[in-house]
């Protein structure tokens, strides 16, 4: 039978705040265990949580960027479960009344646009980290991560394939990075994804029984885990079996997922409103201020780059992949570089060099002004394209300006018509046979004349100009 | 019966409470009494009354996003059942 996959994603995004959501402990990654902790995040008796205003601000930003309705009043809830990664034995989250509802995100898959619904976005605190000792019957608990602010973004079951799920995740991640509220690092766990997936016969309206997939820590992992799950469920359904509703853990090394056993009761979280935290009220003025400060988002920027700079879809996509990169490009163009040349130089030479160095655009030794200067030197004929590559490499290595490198290397291209004409006349006089042959139609000898000029100028003649002069002098 | 002895046992298990049969029977009875009393309240017409999530009319207490040093490491671990000087150590969970 033909089946259709129905997929919904839950994304946990770590917010880029300095301090935790309910206390002033640092959120910095990589500190020694249990050094960013205090009585609040350790769950000691008698303490009270105080909400970090920036967590709310960032979540409003995410909500507006994904077309959600920001709720004037939302409520904090306790999610109860016993596990040593929770110091209090409950996690503060939002349940019945989250801060953002009913949004959507447009994605593009194979050239087609799809609108994916966003059910809700809520705020919550992260749990601690457990390290298990394979040689001893103990686990080590580090509460540094406890209380680090998270946003949970829940999509509608609108996704129909692993490719769509991947496109949604990438689009969402790009938006959060543009908003400067999450670094989007899947490997480090600051952008994590769980998936709900079921199959149904094509044409059937109601959903099948779903499985929940966890532990996918890369975009590839998400796609692979969904593909595996589609095959697994199809095999069950084809044999007339029933899919069991369960949580499955993806194992990237084995390329398989495994059902988690004995966790049935763990899903009974007994949510209740948190009596320690009054309802969160967000007034209209706050929402409108955040709205007015929203940056241009990736999709809009890409469309504008195509429109304003005449770039094709691919180039615009590459150059708007990150806000710093897009800003760099616009600065190069603002400094006078033709848009197409600026795009070519950035996409081949600049990004290539940065990749080789393992650096980010912000760390490039060549600043936008410098790249524009280099492109201007090419356009004016002062240096050839080939020389420019050499100059650029030197600029990246030393941080020197284009003009300075050209001067130091003595690379200035000879574009003086009088000087080149003089040289050509000497060459013609020394090679009368070639001159006659050229005049007689052996145009291939052009390369010979240009080569002679290059030899005499140590490669610094403007080849285009030499071409024109040969044609002019030998009568065309 | 609003709530059965099995449900009481389930909730007790979720809360990690070990109940004797006697205690379980007593709690089942008390919980049923409480739920019966709630039925009385449910007879009130509350249409048009907004739901209350919180007893206080307070809102808006927030703090600026500023990090400050945490607890001294040794003090943080002072109440740990077991520790290696870095982490809390608990019986193995997985």
């Amino acid at each position: 039978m033909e089946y259709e996959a129905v997929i919904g994603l839950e994304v946990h995004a770590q917010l880029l705040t300095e301090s935790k959501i309910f206390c002033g402990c640092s959120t910095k990654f990589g500190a020694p265990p249990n050094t960013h902790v205090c009585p609040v995040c350790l769950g000691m008796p008698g303490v009270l949580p105080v909400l970090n205003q920036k967590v709310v601000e960032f979540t409003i930003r995410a909500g507006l960027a994904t077309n959600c309705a920001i709720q004037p009043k939302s409520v904090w809830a306790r999610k109860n479960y016993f596990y040593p990664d929770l110091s209090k034995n409950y996690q503060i989250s939002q349940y019945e009344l989250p801060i953002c509802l009913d949004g959507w995100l447009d994605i593009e898959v194979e050239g087609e646009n799809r609108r994916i619904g966003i059910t809700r976005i809520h705020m919550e605190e992260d749990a601690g980290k457990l390290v298990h000792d394979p040689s001893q019957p103990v686990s080590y608990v580090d509460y540094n991560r406890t209380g680090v602010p998270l946003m949970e973004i829940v999509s509608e079951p609108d996704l129909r394939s692993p490719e769509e799920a991947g496109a949604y995740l990438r689009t969402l991640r790009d938006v959060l990075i543009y908003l400067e509220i999450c670094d989007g690092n899947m490997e480090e766990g600051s952008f994590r994804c769980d998936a709900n997936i079921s199959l149904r016969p094509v044409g059937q309206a109601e959903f099948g029984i779903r499985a929940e997939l966890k532990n996918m820590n890369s975009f590839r992992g998400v796609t692979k885990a969904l593909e595996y799950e589609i095959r697994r469920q199809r095999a069950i359904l084809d044999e007339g079996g029933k899919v069991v509703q369960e949580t499955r853990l993806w194992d990237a090394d084995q390329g398989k997922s495994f059902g988690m056993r004995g966790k049935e009761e763990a899903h009974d979280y007994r949510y209740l409103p948190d009596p320690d935290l009054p309802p969160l009220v967000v007034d209209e003025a706050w929402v409108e201020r955040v709205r007015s400060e929203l940056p241009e988002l990736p999709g809009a920027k890409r469309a504008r780059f195509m429109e304003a700079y005449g770039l094709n879809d691919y180039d615009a996509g590459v150059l708007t992949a990150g806000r710093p990169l897009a800003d760099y490009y616009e600065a190069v163009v603002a400094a006078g570089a033709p848009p197409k040349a600026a795009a070519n130089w950035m996409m081949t030479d600049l990004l290539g060099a940065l990749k080789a160095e393992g650096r980010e655009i912000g760390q490039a030794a060549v600043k936008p002004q410098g790249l524009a200067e280099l492109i201007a030197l090419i356009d004016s004929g002062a240096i050839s394209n080939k020389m420019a590559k050499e100059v650029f490499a030197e600029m990246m290595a030393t941080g020197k300006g284009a003009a300075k490198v050209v001067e130091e290397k003595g690379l200035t291209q000879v574009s003086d018509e009088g000087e080149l004409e003089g040289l050509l006349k000497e060459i013609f006089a020394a090679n009368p046979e070639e001159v006659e042959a050229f005049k007689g139609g052996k145009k291939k000898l052009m390369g010979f004349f240009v080569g002679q000029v290059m030899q005499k100028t140590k490669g610094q003649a403007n080849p285009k100009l030499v071409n024109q002069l040969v044609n002019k002098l030998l009568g065309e | 019966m609003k709530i059965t002895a099995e449900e009481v046992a389930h909730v007790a298990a979720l809360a990690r409470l070990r109940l004797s049969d006697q205690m379980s029977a007593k709690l089942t009875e008390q919980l049923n009494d409480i739920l019966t009393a709630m039925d009385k309240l449910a007879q009130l017409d509350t249409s048009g009354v907004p739901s209350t999530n919180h007893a206080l009319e307070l809102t808006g207490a927030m703090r600026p996003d500023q990090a400050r040093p945490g607890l001294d490491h040794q003090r943080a671990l002072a109440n740990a059942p077991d520790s290696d000087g870095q982490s809390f150590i608990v019986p193995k969970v997985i």
Side-chain angles (χ1 to χ4, degrees):
Chain A
M1 198 186 299
E2 280 289 304
Y3 298 102
E4 174 181 62
V6 176
I7 302 167
L9 298 181
E10 288 174 16
V11 168
H12 284 91
Q14 184 181 322
L15 293 168
L16 286 172
T17 57
E18 295 290 320
S19 64
K20 293 185 177 180
I21 180 170
F22 297 120
C23 65
C25 290
S26 169
T27 54
K28 277 211 179 66
F29 185 78
N34 298 299
T35 52
H36 293 165
V37 293
C38 74
V40 174
C41 54
L42 286 175
M44 291 187 179
V47 298
L48 283 173
V50 186
L51 179 59
N52 183 341
Q53 189 258 352
K54 194 153 250 173
V55 173
V56 183
E57 171 102 7
F58 281 1
T59 310
I60 295 173
R61 221 184 267 176
L64 291 175
T66 52
N67 313 289
C68 288
I70 310 301
Q71 304 304 298
K73 182 174 158 187
S74 62
V75 172
W76 298 98
R78 291 181 177 183
K79 176 178 177 176
N80 299 279
Y81 66 96
F82 289 91
Y83 206 62
D85 66 353
L86 275 190
S87 56
K88 312 189 285 295
N89 292 332
Y90 62 85
Q91 178 193 25
I92 304 177
S93 180
Q94 295 191 303
Y95 187 55
E96 282 177 324
L97 297 166
I99 183 167
C100 304
L101 287 172
D102 301 329
W104 44 263
L105 197 59
D106 284 336
I107 64 168
E108 199 187 303
V109 185
E110 286 162 12
E112 291 212 16
N113 282 313
R114 290 261 285 123
R115 178 160 290 185
I116 307 303
I118 289 180
T119 316
R120 55 185 279 153
I121 303 177
H122 71 250
M123 299 167 279
E124 63 186 26
E125 56 180 347
D126 206 346
K129 196 175 111 188
L130 292 174
V131 178
H132 308 290
D133 189 331
S135 66
Q136 292 189 56
V138 296
S139 298
Y140 299 89
V141 192
D142 173 7
Y143 288 122
N144 280 347
R145 206 178 59 189
T146 303
V148 165
L150 300 178
M151 220 169 31
E152 181 173 329
I153 304 158
V154 183
S155 87
E156 289 286 300
D158 287 347
L159 300 157
R160 293 288 172 268
S161 68
E163 293 71 39
E164 286 189 6
Y168 167 82
L169 276 184
R170 282 193 189 84
T171 307
L172 179 61
R173 179 174 169 271
D174 286 349
V175 167
L176 300 186
I177 293 174
Y178 259 65
L179 295 174
E180 294 175 334
I181 61 177
C182 175
D183 68 18
N185 189 328
M186 274 192 108
E187 283 74 21
E188 276 180 20
S190 43
F191 185 84
R192 321 196 270 268
C193 169
D194 300 337
N196 285 302
I197 172 168
S198 62
L199 296 189
R200 63 180 173 192
V202 169
Q204 178 182 306
E206 60 266 31
F207 296 153
I209 297 164
R210 67 170 198 263
E212 188 184 5
L213 301 177
K214 285 181 181 282
N215 201 36
M216 304 162 289
N217 51 13
S218 67
F219 285 109
R220 220 177 109 79
V222 172
T223 315
K224 292 262 165 210
L226 287 170
E227 284 167 357
Y228 175 85
E229 187 59 18
I230 289 171
R231 285 197 303 275
R232 192 187 72 88
Q233 292 191 12
R234 183 190 291 140
I236 294 172
L237 295 172
D238 276 345
E239 285 178 12
K242 265 184 93 175
V243 174
V244 180
Q245 183 165 346
E246 63 177 347
T247 299
R248 301 181 64 85
L249 288 185
W250 174 246
D251 184 325
D253 294 331
Q254 296 195 52
K256 290 178 179 174
S257 63
F258 298 92
M260 284 171 77
R261 293 201 191 92
K263 282 267 172 183
E264 299 82 20
E265 288 190 344
H267 276 293
D268 199 338
Y269 292 128
R270 294 151 297 141
Y271 283 95
L272 60 102
D274 193 321
D276 285 346
L277 286 158
L280 170 63
V281 170
V282 175
D283 64 22
E284 187 75 18
W286 191 359
V287 175
E288 288 316 309
R289 180 182 53 74
V290 176
R291 194 193 303 276
S292 72
E293 290 168 7
L294 278 186
E296 184 180 34
L297 294 171
K301 202 182 274 289
R302 183 170 172 172
R304 182 170 62 78
F305 273 32
M306 291 170 70
E307 175 76 25
Y309 303 124
L311 300 180
N312 64 34
D313 191 38
Y314 177 81
D315 292 0
V318 172
L319 292 171
T320 55
R323 229 166 116 183
L325 186 66
D327 289 348
Y328 188 106
Y329 175 74
E330 295 209 88
V332 177
V333 175
K340 190 65 198 165
N344 288 340
W345 272 91
M346 281 183 65
M347 290 172 55
T348 52
D349 301 81
L350 182 64
L351 290 181
L354 286 172
K355 200 172 169 195
E357 292 176 7
R359 284 167 184 264
E360 301 291 325
I361 185 82
Q363 302 167 303
V366 177
K367 301 297 166 207
Q369 187 68 40
L371 183 55
E373 193 192 333
L374 179 68
I375 294 170
L377 287 174
I378 307 165
D379 282 353
S380 72
I383 55 172
S384 68
N385 234 314
K386 204 171 146 213
M387 290 174 188
K389 302 270 177 193
E390 192 185 333
V391 174
F392 180 79
E394 183 72 10
M395 289 167 75
M396 280 301 276
T398 62
K400 289 176 184 163
K404 187 153 174 61
V405 174
V406 167
E407 190 197 316
E408 280 179 8
K409 293 204 159 227
L411 280 174
T412 317
Q413 180 167 250
V414 180
S415 292
D416 181 327
E417 247 181 80
E419 189 184 338
L420 292 175
E421 264 196 47
L423 281 173
L424 276 171
K425 279 177 183 159
E426 284 172 30
I427 292 163
F428 294 157
N431 302 283
E433 282 176 28
E434 279 79 5
V435 171
E436 281 316 306
F438 185 86
K439 282 182 173 168
K442 208 170 171 194
K443 298 294 173 200
K444 267 201 284 185
L445 284 165
M446 175 63 85
F448 168 77
F449 294 125
V450 175
Q452 291 285 309
V453 176
M454 285 299 176
Q455 219 172 49
K456 286 186 187 292
T457 58
K458 297 195 177 71
Q460 297 189 359
N462 180 340
K464 211 167 123 193
L465 188 57
V466 174
N467 258 282
Q468 286 168 6
L469 288 173
V470 170
N471 281 328
K472 187 181 109 188
L473 294 172
L474 298 184
E476 271 218 7
Chain B
M1 290 281 265
K2 299 271 168 214
I3 186 166
T4 63
E6 287 74 40
E7 285 170 301
V8 171
H10 174 66
V11 173
L14 287 174
R16 302 292 187 271
L17 295 175
R18 200 172 292 144
L19 301 179
S20 65
D21 289 348
Q22 194 188 357
M23 182 59 100
S24 184
K26 187 176 169 189
L27 284 173
T28 305
E29 194 183 316
Q30 288 183 349
L31 285 169
N32 274 305
D33 286 348
I34 292 167
L35 291 171
T36 308
M38 298 307 273
D39 272 351
K40 182 127 195 166
L41 284 177
Q43 289 168 10
L44 280 173
D45 178 12
T46 55
S47 54
V49 180
S51 59
T52 306
N53 308 96
H54 213 270
L56 299 174
E57 287 291 319
L58 281 175
T59 57
M62 285 184 240
R63 58 176 184 83
D65 179 32
Q66 275 160 9
R68 49 147 184 73
L71 266 188
D72 173 78
H73 195 203
Q74 293 316 312
R75 292 185 69 200
L77 293 168
N79 289 331
D82 191 9
S83 144
D84 59 358
Q86 293 247 304
S87 296
F88 293 79
I89 296 182
V90 298
K92 186 164 193 139
V93 285
I94 187 107

mmCIF file of all heavy atoms in Angstrom, chain A residues 341 345 349 371-389 391-392 402 406 413 415 462 464:
data_model
loop_
_atom_site.group_PDB
_atom_site.id
_atom_site.type_symbol
_atom_site.label_atom_id
_atom_site.label_comp_id
_atom_site.label_asym_id
_atom_site.label_seq_id
_atom_site.Cartn_x
_atom_site.Cartn_y
_atom_site.Cartn_z
ATOM 1 N N ALA A 341 30.434 41.457 -9.142
ATOM 2 C CA ALA A 341 31.848 41.199 -8.856
ATOM 3 C C ALA A 341 32.046 40.953 -7.363
ATOM 4 O O ALA A 341 32.778 40.055 -6.957
ATOM 5 C CB ALA A 341 32.697 42.373 -9.326
ATOM 6 N N TRP A 345 33.671 37.495 -5.832
ATOM 7 C CA TRP A 345 34.866 37.492 -4.984
ATOM 8 C C TRP A 345 34.579 36.901 -3.613
ATOM 9 O O TRP A 345 35.371 36.148 -3.074
ATOM 10 C CB TRP A 345 35.430 38.913 -4.838
ATOM 11 C CG TRP A 345 36.394 39.202 -5.943
ATOM 12 C CD1 TRP A 345 36.126 39.767 -7.151
ATOM 13 C CD2 TRP A 345 37.793 38.883 -5.949
ATOM 14 N NE1 TRP A 345 37.258 39.823 -7.921
ATOM 15 C CE2 TRP A 345 38.300 39.291 -7.213
ATOM 16 C CE3 TRP A 345 38.669 38.291 -5.042
ATOM 17 C CZ2 TRP A 345 39.651 39.123 -7.553
ATOM 18 C CZ3 TRP A 345 40.006 38.130 -5.382
ATOM 19 C CH2 TRP A 345 40.490 38.541 -6.628
ATOM 20 N N ASP A 349 36.682 33.429 -3.525
ATOM 21 C CA ASP A 349 37.957 33.676 -2.846
ATOM 22 C C ASP A 349 37.817 33.852 -1.343
ATOM 23 O O ASP A 349 38.490 33.193 -0.566
ATOM 24 C CB ASP A 349 38.620 34.899 -3.474
ATOM 25 C CG ASP A 349 38.839 34.667 -4.957
ATOM 26 O OD1 ASP A 349 37.868 34.848 -5.732
ATOM 27 O OD2 ASP A 349 39.938 34.266 -5.329
ATOM 28 N N LEU A 371 38.145 44.802 0.226
ATOM 29 C CA LEU A 371 37.742 44.002 -0.934
ATOM 30 C C LEU A 371 37.227 44.922 -2.040
ATOM 31 O O LEU A 371 37.540 44.731 -3.225
ATOM 32 C CB LEU A 371 36.662 42.992 -0.522
ATOM 33 C CG LEU A 371 36.204 42.028 -1.626
ATOM 34 C CD1 LEU A 371 37.377 41.275 -2.229
ATOM 35 C CD2 LEU A 371 35.166 41.045 -1.084
ATOM 36 N N ALA A 372 36.483 45.945 -1.663
ATOM 37 C CA ALA A 372 35.969 46.903 -2.646
ATOM 38 C C ALA A 372 37.137 47.610 -3.343
ATOM 39 O O ALA A 372 37.118 47.831 -4.554
ATOM 40 C CB ALA A 372 35.048 47.922 -1.971
ATOM 41 N N GLU A 373 38.157 47.939 -2.574
ATOM 42 C CA GLU A 373 39.344 48.610 -3.115
ATOM 43 C C GLU A 373 40.031 47.717 -4.154
ATOM 44 O O GLU A 373 40.432 48.165 -5.236
ATOM 45 C CB GLU A 373 40.298 48.884 -1.941
ATOM 46 C CG GLU A 373 41.439 49.822 -2.209
ATOM 47 C CD GLU A 373 42.458 49.768 -1.058
ATOM 48 O OE1 GLU A 373 42.061 49.456 0.094
ATOM 49 O OE2 GLU A 373 43.641 49.981 -1.326
ATOM 50 N N LEU A 374 40.158 46.436 -3.817
ATOM 51 C CA LEU A 374 40.785 45.468 -4.729
ATOM 52 C C LEU A 374 39.992 45.363 -6.034
ATOM 53 O O LEU A 374 40.562 45.391 -7.128
ATOM 54 C CB LEU A 374 40.859 44.098 -4.041
ATOM 55 C CG LEU A 374 41.459 42.956 -4.863
ATOM 56 C CD1 LEU A 374 42.941 43.189 -5.101
ATOM 57 C CD2 LEU A 374 41.246 41.613 -4.162
ATOM 58 N N ILE A 375 38.663 45.280 -5.900
ATOM 59 C CA ILE A 375 37.816 45.153 -7.097
ATOM 60 C C ILE A 375 37.943 46.425 -7.951
ATOM 61 O O ILE A 375 37.984 46.359 -9.178
ATOM 62 C CB ILE A 375 36.348 44.875 -6.693
ATOM 63 C CG1 ILE A 375 36.253 43.497 -6.015
ATOM 64 C CG2 ILE A 375 35.420 44.942 -7.889
ATOM 65 C CD1 ILE A 375 34.917 43.184 -5.359
ATOM 66 N N ALA A 376 38.073 47.566 -7.285
ATOM 67 C CA ALA A 376 38.221 48.826 -8.021
ATOM 68 C C ALA A 376 39.533 48.838 -8.803
ATOM 69 O O ALA A 376 39.588 49.354 -9.930
ATOM 70 C CB ALA A 376 38.174 50.007 -7.045
ATOM 71 N N LEU A 377 40.592 48.264 -8.242
ATOM 72 C CA LEU A 377 41.885 48.214 -8.933
ATOM 73 C C LEU A 377 41.799 47.358 -10.202
ATOM 74 O O LEU A 377 42.434 47.656 -11.218
ATOM 75 C CB LEU A 377 42.973 47.662 -8.005
ATOM 76 C CG LEU A 377 43.445 48.596 -6.890
ATOM 77 C CD1 LEU A 377 44.414 47.878 -5.953
ATOM 78 C CD2 LEU A 377 44.100 49.844 -7.469
ATOM 79 N N ILE A 378 40.987 46.290 -10.120
ATOM 80 C CA ILE A 378 40.798 45.445 -11.309
ATOM 81 C C ILE A 378 40.002 46.209 -12.359
ATOM 82 O O ILE A 378 40.366 46.246 -13.538
ATOM 83 C CB ILE A 378 40.043 44.141 -10.973
ATOM 84 C CG1 ILE A 378 40.712 43.410 -9.815
ATOM 85 C CG2 ILE A 378 39.939 43.242 -12.193
ATOM 86 C CD1 ILE A 378 39.850 42.327 -9.188
ATOM 87 N N ASP A 379 38.929 46.832 -11.909
ATOM 88 C CA ASP A 379 38.044 47.543 -12.835
ATOM 89 C C ASP A 379 38.760 48.670 -13.554
ATOM 90 O O ASP A 379 38.484 48.958 -14.718
ATOM 91 C CB ASP A 379 36.821 48.100 -12.081
ATOM 92 C CG ASP A 379 35.807 46.997 -11.808
ATOM 93 O OD1 ASP A 379 36.014 45.876 -12.322
ATOM 94 O OD2 ASP A 379 34.822 47.251 -11.093
ATOM 95 N N SER A 380 39.697 49.320 -12.868
ATOM 96 C CA SER A 380 40.392 50.447 -13.500
ATOM 97 C C SER A 380 41.513 49.963 -14.415
ATOM 98 O O SER A 380 42.155 50.757 -15.098
ATOM 99 C CB SER A 380 40.974 51.355 -12.418
ATOM 100 O OG SER A 380 42.081 50.722 -11.816
ATOM 101 N N GLY A 381 41.766 48.650 -14.422
ATOM 102 C CA GLY A 381 42.817 48.115 -15.279
ATOM 103 C C GLY A 381 44.194 48.183 -14.642
ATOM 104 O O GLY A 381 45.191 47.813 -15.263
ATOM 105 N N ALA A 382 44.267 48.641 -13.400
ATOM 106 C CA ALA A 382 45.567 48.774 -12.748
ATOM 107 C C ALA A 382 46.213 47.407 -12.513
ATOM 108 O O ALA A 382 47.422 47.268 -12.594
ATOM 109 C CB ALA A 382 45.421 49.510 -11.419
ATOM 110 N N ILE A 383 45.404 46.418 -12.195
ATOM 111 C CA ILE A 383 45.927 45.057 -12.070
ATOM 112 C C ILE A 383 45.006 44.097 -12.812
ATOM 113 O O ILE A 383 43.827 44.383 -13.016
ATOM 114 C CB ILE A 383 46.046 44.597 -10.586
ATOM 115 C CG1 ILE A 383 44.699 44.735 -9.858
ATOM 116 C CG2 ILE A 383 47.110 45.389 -9.841
ATOM 117 C CD1 ILE A 383 44.694 44.134 -8.461
ATOM 118 N N SER A 384 45.567 42.962 -13.212
ATOM 119 C CA SER A 384 44.752 41.957 -13.901
ATOM 120 C C SER A 384 44.036 41.100 -12.859
ATOM 121 O O SER A 384 44.382 41.124 -11.683
ATOM 122 C CB SER A 384 45.646 41.070 -14.753
ATOM 123 O OG SER A 384 46.466 40.282 -13.910
ATOM 124 N N ASN A 385 43.073 40.340 -13.339
ATOM 125 C CA ASN A 385 42.345 39.434 -12.458
ATOM 126 C C ASN A 385 43.292 38.436 -11.794
ATOM 127 O O ASN A 385 43.142 38.099 -10.636
ATOM 128 C CB ASN A 385 41.301 38.663 -13.270
ATOM 129 C CG ASN A 385 39.915 38.823 -12.654
ATOM 130 O OD1 ASN A 385 39.762 38.704 -11.439
ATOM 131 N ND2 ASN A 385 38.943 39.112 -13.482
ATOM 132 N N LYS A 386 44.243 37.998 -12.594
ATOM 133 C CA LYS A 386 45.186 36.997 -12.100
ATOM 134 C C LYS A 386 46.037 37.598 -10.978
ATOM 135 O O LYS A 386 46.266 36.967 -9.942
ATOM 136 C CB LYS A 386 46.073 36.541 -13.257
ATOM 137 C CG LYS A 386 46.640 35.172 -13.027
ATOM 138 C CD LYS A 386 47.329 34.675 -14.287
ATOM 139 C CE LYS A 386 48.519 33.815 -13.891
ATOM 140 N NZ LYS A 386 49.615 33.918 -14.842
ATOM 141 N N MET A 387 46.504 38.839 -11.208
ATOM 142 C CA MET A 387 47.286 39.511 -10.164
ATOM 143 C C MET A 387 46.441 39.698 -8.909
ATOM 144 O O MET A 387 46.920 39.557 -7.788
ATOM 145 C CB MET A 387 47.733 40.896 -10.635
ATOM 146 C CG MET A 387 48.778 40.893 -11.702
ATOM 147 S SD MET A 387 48.993 42.607 -12.218
ATOM 148 C CE MET A 387 50.066 42.377 -13.608
ATOM 149 N N ALA A 388 45.177 40.014 -9.138
ATOM 150 C CA ALA A 388 44.289 40.287 -8.004
ATOM 151 C C ALA A 388 44.194 39.090 -7.066
ATOM 152 O O ALA A 388 44.106 39.234 -5.856
ATOM 153 C CB ALA A 388 42.909 40.686 -8.506
ATOM 154 N N LYS A 389 44.235 37.882 -7.643
ATOM 155 C CA LYS A 389 44.167 36.675 -6.806
ATOM 156 C C LYS A 389 45.371 36.645 -5.858
ATOM 157 O O LYS A 389 45.243 36.306 -4.677
ATOM 158 C CB LYS A 389 44.182 35.412 -7.675
ATOM 159 C CG LYS A 389 43.057 35.347 -8.684
ATOM 160 C CD LYS A 389 41.821 34.668 -8.125
ATOM 161 C CE LYS A 389 40.700 34.703 -9.153
ATOM 162 N NZ LYS A 389 39.398 34.363 -8.625
ATOM 163 N N VAL A 391 47.182 39.258 -4.967
ATOM 164 C CA VAL A 391 47.052 40.373 -4.021
ATOM 165 C C VAL A 391 46.100 39.981 -2.891
ATOM 166 O O VAL A 391 46.370 40.212 -1.714
ATOM 167 C CB VAL A 391 46.533 41.642 -4.733
ATOM 168 C CG1 VAL A 391 46.268 42.762 -3.728
ATOM 169 C CG2 VAL A 391 47.529 42.097 -5.796
ATOM 170 N N PHE A 392 45.005 39.343 -3.267
ATOM 171 C CA PHE A 392 44.006 38.964 -2.266
ATOM 172 C C PHE A 392 44.602 37.998 -1.237
ATOM 173 O O PHE A 392 44.402 38.156 -0.030
ATOM 174 C CB PHE A 392 42.789 38.324 -2.947
ATOM 175 C CG PHE A 392 41.732 37.904 -1.966
ATOM 176 C CD1 PHE A 392 40.861 38.843 -1.424
ATOM 177 C CD2 PHE A 392 41.612 36.573 -1.561
ATOM 178 C CE1 PHE A 392 39.900 38.466 -0.499
ATOM 179 C CE2 PHE A 392 40.652 36.190 -0.644
ATOM 180 C CZ PHE A 392 39.795 37.140 -0.108
ATOM 181 N N ALA A 402 44.862 46.722 -0.294
ATOM 182 C CA ALA A 402 45.110 46.259 -1.655
ATOM 183 C C ALA A 402 46.196 47.097 -2.340
ATOM 184 O O ALA A 402 47.138 46.554 -2.922
ATOM 185 C CB ALA A 402 43.810 46.309 -2.455
ATOM 186 N N VAL A 406 49.893 45.835 -3.782
ATOM 187 C CA VAL A 406 50.221 46.009 -5.209
ATOM 188 C C VAL A 406 51.552 46.748 -5.334
ATOM 189 O O VAL A 406 52.437 46.356 -6.101
ATOM 190 C CB VAL A 406 49.098 46.789 -5.928
ATOM 191 C CG1 VAL A 406 49.549 47.254 -7.304
ATOM 192 C CG2 VAL A 406 47.861 45.907 -6.043
ATOM 193 N N GLN A 413 49.945 46.793 -13.226
ATOM 194 C CA GLN A 413 49.772 46.345 -14.591
ATOM 195 C C GLN A 413 50.137 47.488 -15.545
ATOM 196 O O GLN A 413 49.796 48.629 -15.295
ATOM 197 C CB GLN A 413 48.316 45.942 -14.766
ATOM 198 C CG GLN A 413 47.951 45.447 -16.130
ATOM 199 C CD GLN A 413 46.580 44.782 -16.086
ATOM 200 O OE1 GLN A 413 46.456 43.591 -16.215
ATOM 201 N NE2 GLN A 413 45.555 45.582 -15.903
ATOM 202 N N SER A 415 49.435 49.576 -18.317
ATOM 203 C CA SER A 415 48.285 49.905 -19.155
ATOM 204 C C SER A 415 48.571 51.172 -19.948
ATOM 205 O O SER A 415 47.672 51.802 -20.476
ATOM 206 C CB SER A 415 47.040 50.106 -18.292
ATOM 207 O OG SER A 415 46.643 48.894 -17.729
ATOM 208 N N ASN A 462 48.844 44.746 -19.483
ATOM 209 C CA ASN A 462 47.404 44.504 -19.504
ATOM 210 C C ASN A 462 47.087 43.702 -20.764
ATOM 211 O O ASN A 462 47.163 44.236 -21.880
ATOM 212 C CB ASN A 462 46.697 45.862 -19.509
ATOM 213 C CG ASN A 462 45.190 45.703 -19.535
ATOM 214 O OD1 ASN A 462 44.661 44.664 -19.908
ATOM 215 N ND2 ASN A 462 44.496 46.765 -19.131
ATOM 216 N N LYS A 464 44.500 42.523 -22.242
ATOM 217 C CA LYS A 464 43.392 42.964 -23.094
ATOM 218 C C LYS A 464 43.843 44.109 -23.997
ATOM 219 O O LYS A 464 43.547 44.145 -25.198
ATOM 220 C CB LYS A 464 42.241 43.432 -22.181
ATOM 221 C CG LYS A 464 40.857 43.204 -22.786
ATOM 222 C CD LYS A 464 39.794 43.382 -21.724
ATOM 223 C CE LYS A 464 38.804 44.439 -22.151
ATOM 224 N NZ LYS A 464 37.944 44.858 -21.036
#
